[in-house]
Amino acid sequence: MRTLIGAVAATLLLSTAAFAGQTEGLIKKIDKDALTLTLDDGKSYKLNA
């Protein structure tokens, strides 16, 4: 049972990484407390811990 749960969890983590995209821009602000990165065009991204 633990093996099955581990395999499902690994599959979910890998499938999430596959949806990662790319973007370009200049970094305007980094908020270390909120773990966010804001680009000069106003787009904001949540970073992993």
Side-chain angles (χ1 to χ4, degrees), residues 24-48:
E24 291 185 14
L26 297 175
I27 297 173
K28 183 177 180 181
K29 178 181 173 186
I30 298 175
D31 187 342
K32 292 180 183 178
D33 295 326
L35 294 175
T36 57
L37 181 120
T38 305
L39 299 181
D40 60 343
D41 62 0
K43 292 181 183 176
S44 182
Y45 297 94
K46 179 80 172 153
L47 304 173
N48 291 331

Side-chain angles (χ1 to χ4, degrees), residues 1-10:
M1 185 65 168
R2 285 185 179 172
T3 305
L4 177 62
I5 292 171
V8 170

Side-chain angles (χ1 to χ4, degrees), residues 9-21:
T11 302
L12 289 174
L13 288 173
L14 290 175
S15 65
T16 302
F19 291 116

